[in-house]
């Protein structure tokens, strides 16, 4: 190659040594890339077979980090009757195997870490083309709180969903999914984590030690005194302020999502997470929940299917766990405060009118959510329970509840 | 087509294969194939705008030929002026029409409809290349201009849509004198390595953390309060984002060019190691800085007509440079901020020259006070640049002001969302890379893949020390490149496009 005179530093063409080195370099580079890609693809595709196995579903669906890609793909393979949507608060709460056993129908947990309203709606769009689908459980917290977040998070890939944002079928979905399953960055990480988790289970390790969702929070570490003083105040010490100053009234993504289910005759079970009293449950006042009630009532009027609305986020036997007597290994909460699958089972029992699991206390069974769209005085129910977090337990006072809570 | 995409990787693989095959048949066929491939690459986005690119090339070639052949100085000047004006009109229509109408409506309370024009990708880059060609032709700096060389000079796909802004004297001699257009194994190997490192910078180093920053800018755009800490996370974080993103693109462009035996100019040289704002602009987006210096700052008077004129020229150059990046007041303010930084730098240097004896001014080095001063200068420059970035990134002026006031401490303590802190653990790694590690141009200097690198190493032509940091065509670097490429490839997923694609 002959370059300009001013370009003296151009590499010389006749440098045979350089050419030989280059050939060797390309050969090694190409071999390495092909070898690594082949090994990774083989391992990933084998692992995918693992993922499809029924007995591994709890591990696959409860693992954090990679659900944005593989959950839509797995969902289409499994074609469940019931699907759960939401962020990690929902992902950690519903063990698909345990919930399926309780409800007698196949449950799929579509929750993902930090799931945004847009992502959740798009997963729902993609999930509609499933003839088996009968019910969708939607965590409302995903749509309300934390308005300042990105539309979608890293790893969310719309091209692996069945439909695009305008509900038109995506092109080359099969090809994109095959690529993502074999060579997507998520696949490598997910499979390493999946295999090590399955091995831990097979070694007989206890569930809380290998499955993050089952980890148990220490309810003695955080100061429960503040919650106790707020919910069960000494006479004359009741607080009156509510943190519920802001209410989101426009819920475009949730609206689109519910419309989609209504069109397909899929029942909707919308719920507020029973977060612990030291977290959100006692920060949510009545205004937001009343706004939700109105919103869902409006939706029900034009819906072919049935919409259900459950509020679990109030002072009850679950959300006040450890408030009166210290609990070192929480039954219902993970260390980060997310509800564990034990809480999910109680929620599923309440929502689908099934018997509560044997570990549920009578106090929880007696008062743990109602279908507010069927409730005659839903507003009154919501106001009464929201007031508990301000120490207002009505005419009878907290005595009976407090006593039962101490005994459970 | 975005470099960091599966479609581009497929395009590149097919092109390399096709290029190799036609090269076996005829050593001259590589050039037309590159032109066709570049048109396919450009037309992949909106095919209609390929017509615009071709018209721009035809028009500018006709003008440039007329200027080169024109016997009269006045005619040549008139033709050059006409060419520049029409190029500016093209960019003004596509890029600034909506901005102009919006500004008119706002200033005079008029109600003109804001035109909805889709910006042809890369128009700012190829228009500037055309202008520089016309000016150089007028000044007699173009030795030879053949039509197909002109076509490839403008349309060569690695630099077509986001630079580097290649000057005619960097590219035309390469095109004019080359006879053998076949692939060469050493060029391909080095090009692949540069491309892989660039891809890694984007897909593995920065893109996973971008959503954390978006949250802050979206919050500011919605009018939500932003606190001091979030403000600085936004400024510093975006500084890292735009650096890793654009320098990644430049590495990839240089690597792609070299695969086909063409050398593109250096575009970044560790800008955050700059110890002054002047030094920063010597290292940041080098091809644009040089263009602005040679075609705007110097014609406006440069630094040889007194301090006042110099400052005025600086402010005008930088404000227009800001406007080049985007049609919005935030970009103008970003440019003006840098103009004012440069003005302060000029004044400071004049003051130091007046107050200190010459030997005191030049006494810098590794000794204790010099080292501390240098580090302090680097940090101050970095913070000043980070402050300005919020104007570059913010979607509107209100959001930019909200962030800027927060960074200056004029806001209540407030956390936008816990999520925003997700990028902070990556900051130490980013600082390590931008402040302490050699850049890709230094690592690849011995390969001679990019033009003008020696100038940035103070004339140093020897490879980087220690030797293991310098890229060589050996087995160790082959395995490293493969590992880097695989990581980058696996991380390739629904990424944001390169920031500079929009300019």
């Amino acid at each position: 190659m002959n370059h300009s005179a001013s370009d003296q530093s151009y590499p010389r063409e006749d440098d045979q040594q350089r050419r030989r080195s280059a050939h060797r370099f390309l050969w090694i580079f190409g071999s390495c890339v092909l070898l690594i890609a082949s090994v990774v693809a083989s391992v990933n595709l084998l692992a995918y077979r693992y993922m499809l196995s029924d007995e591994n579903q709890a591990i696959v669906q409860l693992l954090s980090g990679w659900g944005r890609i593989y959950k839509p793909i797995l969902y289409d393979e499994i074609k469940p009757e019931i699907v759960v949507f939401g962020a990690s608060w929902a992902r950690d709460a519903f063990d698909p195997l345990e919930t399926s056993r309780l409800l007698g129908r196949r449950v799929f947990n579509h929750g993902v870490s930090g799931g945004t309203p847009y992502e959740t709606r798009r997963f729902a769009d993609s999930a509609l083309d499933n003839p088996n689908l009968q019910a969708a459980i939607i965590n409302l917290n995903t749509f309300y709180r934390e308005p300042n977040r990105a539309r979608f998070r890293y790893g969310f890939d719309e091209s692996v969903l069945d439909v695009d944002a305008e509900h038109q079928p995506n092109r080359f979905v099969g090809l994109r999914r095959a690529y993502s399953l074999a060579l997507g960055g998520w696949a490598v990480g997910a499979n390493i984590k999946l295999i090590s988790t399955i091995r831990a289970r097979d070694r007989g390790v206890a569930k809380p030690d290998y499955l993050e969702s089952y980890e148990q929070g220490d309810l003695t570490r955080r100061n429960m005194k503040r919650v106790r003083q707020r919910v069960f105040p000494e006479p004359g010490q009741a607080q009156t302020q509510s943190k519920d100053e802001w209410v989101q009234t426009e819920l475009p993504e949730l609206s689109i999502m519910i419309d989609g289910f209504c069109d397909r005759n899929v029942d909707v079970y919308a719920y507020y997470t029973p977060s612990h009293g030291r977290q959100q449950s006692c920060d949510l006042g009545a205004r937001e929940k009343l706004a939700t009630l109105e919103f869902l009532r409006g939706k029900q009027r034009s819906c072919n299917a049935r919409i259900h609305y459950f509020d679990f986020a109030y002072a009850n036997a679950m959300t006040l766990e450890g408030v009166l007597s210290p609990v070192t290994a929480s039954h219902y909460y993970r260390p980060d405060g997310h509800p564990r699958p034990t809480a999910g089972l109680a929620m599923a029992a309440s929502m689908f009118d099934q018997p509560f699991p044997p570990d549920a206390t009578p106090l929880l069974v007696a008062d743990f959510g109602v279908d507010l769209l069927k409730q005659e005085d839903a507003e009154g129910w919501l106001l009464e329970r929201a007031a508990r977090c301000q120490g207002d337990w009505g005419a009878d006072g907290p005595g009976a509840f407090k006593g039962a809570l101490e005994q459970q | 087509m975005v470099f960091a995409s599966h479609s581009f990787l497929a395009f590149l693989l097919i092109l390399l294969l096709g290029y190799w095959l036609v090269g076996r048949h005829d050593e001259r066929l590589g050039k037309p194939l590159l032109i066709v491939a570049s048109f396919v690459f450009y037309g992949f986005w909106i095919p209609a705008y390929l017509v615009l690119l071709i018209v721009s090339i035809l028009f500018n070639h006709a003008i440039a030929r007329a200027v080169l052949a024109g016997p009269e100085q006045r005619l040549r000047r008139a033709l050059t002026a006409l060419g520049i004006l029409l190029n500016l009109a093209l960019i003004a229509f596509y890029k600034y029409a909506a901005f102009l109408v919006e500004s008119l409506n706002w200033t005079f309370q008029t109600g003109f409809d804001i035109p909805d024009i889709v910006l042809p990708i890369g128009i700012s880059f190829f228009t500037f290349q055309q202008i520089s060609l016309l000016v150089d032709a007028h000044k007699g700096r173009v030795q030879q201009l053949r039509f197909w060389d002109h076509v490839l000079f403008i349309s060569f796909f690695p630099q077509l849509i986001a630079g580097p802004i290649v000057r005619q004297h960097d590219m035309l001699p390469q095109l004019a004198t080359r006879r053998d257009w076949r692939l060469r194994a050493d060029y391909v190997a080095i090009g692949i390595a540069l491309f892989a490192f660039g891809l890694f910078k984007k897909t593995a180093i920065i893109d996973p953390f971008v959503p954390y920053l978006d949250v802050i800018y979206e919050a500011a755009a919605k009018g939500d309060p932003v606190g001091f800490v979030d403000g600085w996370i936004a400024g510093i974080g975006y500084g890292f984002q735009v650096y890793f993103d654009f320098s990644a693109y430049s590495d990839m462009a240089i690597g792609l060019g070299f695969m086909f035996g063409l050398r593109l100019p250096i575009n970044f040289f560790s800008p955050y190691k700059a110890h002054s704002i002047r030094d920063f602009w010597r290292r940041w987006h080098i091809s644009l800085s040089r263009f602005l210096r040679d075609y705007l700052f110097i014609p406006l008077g440069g630094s040889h007509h007194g301090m006042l004129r110099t400052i005025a020229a600086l402010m005008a150059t930088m404000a227009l440079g800001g406007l080049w990046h985007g049609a919005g007041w935030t970009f103008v303010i970003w440019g003006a901020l840098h103009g004012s930084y440069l003005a302060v730098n000029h004044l400071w240097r004049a003051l130091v020259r007046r107050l200190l004896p010459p030997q005191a001014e030049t006494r810098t080095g590794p000794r204790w006070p010099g080292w501390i001063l240098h580090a302090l200068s680097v940090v101050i420059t970095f913070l000043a640049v980070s402050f300005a970035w919020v104007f570059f990134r913010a979607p509107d002026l209100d959001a930019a002001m909200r962030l800027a006031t927060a960074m200056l401490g004029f806001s209540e303590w407030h956390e936008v969302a816990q999520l925003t802190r997700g990028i902070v653990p990556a900051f130490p790694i980013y600082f390590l890379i931008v402040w302490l590690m050699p850049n890709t141009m230094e690592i690849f200097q011995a390969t001679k893949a990019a033009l003008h690198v020696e100038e940035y190493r103070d004339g140093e032509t020897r490879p980087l020390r220690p030797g293991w940091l310098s890229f060589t065509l050996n087995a160790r670097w082959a395995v490293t490149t493969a590992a880097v490429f695989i990581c980058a490839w696996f991380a390739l997923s629904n990424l944001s496009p390169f920031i500079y694609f929009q300019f």
Side-chain angles (χ1 to χ4, degrees), chain A residues 1-2, chain B residues 19 174-182 260-262:
Chain A
M1 201 181 302
N2 181 18
Chain B
Y19 196 89
Q174 293 189 60
L175 301 176
T177 55
R178 187 168 171 185
R179 297 287 172 268
D180 183 353
W181 286 82
R182 286 177 298 178
F260 299 98
L262 293 171

Side-chain angles (χ1 to χ4, degrees), chain A residues 1-4 6-15 18-19 21-26 28-30 32-34 36-37 40 69 146-158 179 182-186 188, chain B residues 6 173-174 177-178 180 184-190 192-193 203 207-208 211-212 215 218-219 222 224 258 261-263 416-417 419 447-448 451 471 473-475 477-479 481-482 485-486 489-491 493-495:
Chain A
M1 201 181 302
N2 181 18
H3 287 279
S4 69
S6 62
D7 195 13
Q8 296 292 335
S9 61
Y10 214 93
R12 293 204 321 273
E13 188 183 9
D14 56 353
D15 190 340
R18 184 178 159 113
R19 285 191 154 192
S21 304
H23 280 289
R24 198 170 62 238
F25 178 98
L26 285 173
I28 296 171
F29 169 80
C32 285
V33 169
L34 278 178
I36 299 170
V40 168
I69 295 287
E146 293 182 63
N148 291 326
R149 53 182 168 181
R151 195 158 175 245
F152 53 82
R153 304 272 292 270
Y154 184 74
F156 176 66
D157 184 354
E158 296 198 84
Y179 172 81
L183 290 169
W186 70 271
V188 188
Chain B
H6 297 116
Q174 293 189 60
T177 55
R178 187 168 171 185
D180 183 353
R184 263 180 59 170
D186 51 347
Y187 293 176
V188 173
I190 293 162
I192 285 175
T203 63
D207 271 354
Y212 298 115
V215 172
E218 281 169 21
K222 278 194 288 183
D224 292 346
F258 203 62
L262 293 171
R263 298 170 73 195
V416 168
L419 176 70
T447 66
K448 299 185 169 79
L451 294 167
F471 181 87
L473 289 171
N474 60 22
W477 275 102
V479 174
T481 304
F485 179 74
I486 282 283
W489 184 22
F490 285 172
S493 147
N494 199 35
L495 304 168

Side-chain angles (χ1 to χ4, degrees), chain B residues 98 294 312 445 450 479:
Chain B
D294 295 347
Q445 188 190 358
V479 174

Side-chain angles (χ1 to χ4, degrees), chain B residues 295-318:
Chain B
Y295 299 102
L296 207 53
F297 178 64
I298 292 174
L300 285 171
S303 55
H304 297 293
H305 296 89
M307 185 56 77
L308 210 61
R309 177 91 179 261
T310 302
I311 289 173
L314 273 175
M315 291 301 293
T317 302
M318 296 311 291

Side-chain angles (χ1 to χ4, degrees), chain A residues 112-365:
Chain A
V112 294
S113 300
T116 68
Y118 178 75
E119 287 175 336
T120 309
R121 191 267 288 182
R122 295 289 292 114
F123 289 142
D125 290 344
S126 188
L128 286 173
D129 192 21
N130 166 16
N132 299 338
L133 191 61
Q134 297 165 6
I137 300 173
I138 302 172
N139 182 359
L140 290 166
N141 302 64
T142 308
F143 297 89
Y144 274 91
R145 294 281 144 169
E146 293 182 63
N148 291 326
R149 53 182 168 181
R151 195 158 175 245
F152 53 82
R153 304 272 292 270
Y154 184 74
F156 176 66
D157 184 354
E158 296 198 84
S159 69
V160 300
L161 302 180
D162 287 329
V163 289
D164 64 19
E166 277 72 48
H167 297 94
Q168 297 303 312
N170 260 335
R171 290 195 302 166
F172 310 119
V173 174
L175 193 66
R176 291 175 195 278
R177 287 183 172 187
Y179 172 81
S180 293
L181 285 170
L183 290 169
W186 70 271
V188 188
N191 290 328
I192 291 168
K193 201 169 172 181
L194 175 74
I195 290 164
S196 66
T197 311
I198 288 173
R199 286 185 60 186
R201 180 197 62 192
D202 294 347
R203 282 200 311 272
V205 174
K207 243 183 191 177
D209 295 330
Y210 72 82
L211 209 48
E212 289 168 3
S213 297
Y214 278 93
E215 284 176 7
Q216 292 174 286
D218 180 352
L219 297 180
T220 60
R221 281 190 197 161
R222 305 280 186 94
N223 183 9
M224 294 291 161
K225 194 176 166 189
R226 189 178 57 83
V227 188
R228 194 163 55 240
Q229 285 175 341
R230 189 171 168 191
V231 181
F232 304 118
E234 297 299 319
Q237 298 288 312
Q239 299 173 10
T240 49
Q241 85 277 13
S242 164
K243 287 190 180 176
D244 191 26
E245 294 157 351
W246 171 83
V247 177
Q248 189 176 345
T249 50
E250 286 186 21
L251 299 160
E253 302 297 357
L254 181 63
S255 179
I256 296 170
M257 198 169 161
I258 292 177
D259 289 346
F261 289 126
C262 287
D263 287 347
R264 299 289 177 119
N265 233 346
V266 174
D267 288 347
V268 172
Y269 292 80
Y271 77 96
Y272 273 110
T273 291
S275 51
H276 194 270
R278 68 169 197 259
Q279 291 183 304
Q280 289 183 12
S281 278
C282 271
D283 288 345
L284 290 171
R287 283 179 61 200
E288 179 174 311
K289 292 170 181 173
L290 290 170
T292 308
L293 184 65
E294 274 314 298
F295 170 78
L296 292 175
R297 275 178 179 158
K299 283 283 158 200
Q300 180 65 86
R301 282 193 278 274
S302 57
C303 184
N304 299 326
R306 187 83 212 156
I307 298 176
H308 309 263
Y309 171 31
F310 285 83
D311 173 27
F312 302 114
Y314 61 94
N316 58 44
M318 185 183 288
T319 62
L320 297 180
E321 185 189 9
V323 168
L324 293 180
S325 41
V327 172
T328 50
S330 170
H331 184 63
Y332 288 118
Y333 295 100
R334 281 175 30 79
D336 61 4
H338 288 184
R340 298 174 70 233
T342 43
L345 279 180
M347 284 192 280
S350 174
M351 287 192 279
F352 289 85
D353 207 13
Q354 293 292 317
F356 274 65
D359 53 24
T361 61
L363 188 62
L364 187 75
V365 176

Side-chain angles (χ1 to χ4, degrees), chain A residues 43-54 56-57 77:
Chain A
V43 170
N44 285 342
L45 291 173
L46 271 174
Y48 182 61
R49 304 299 305 170
Y50 239 176
M51 276 193 189
L52 291 174
S53 141
D54 276 347
N56 293 332
Q57 284 313 306
E77 291 288 339

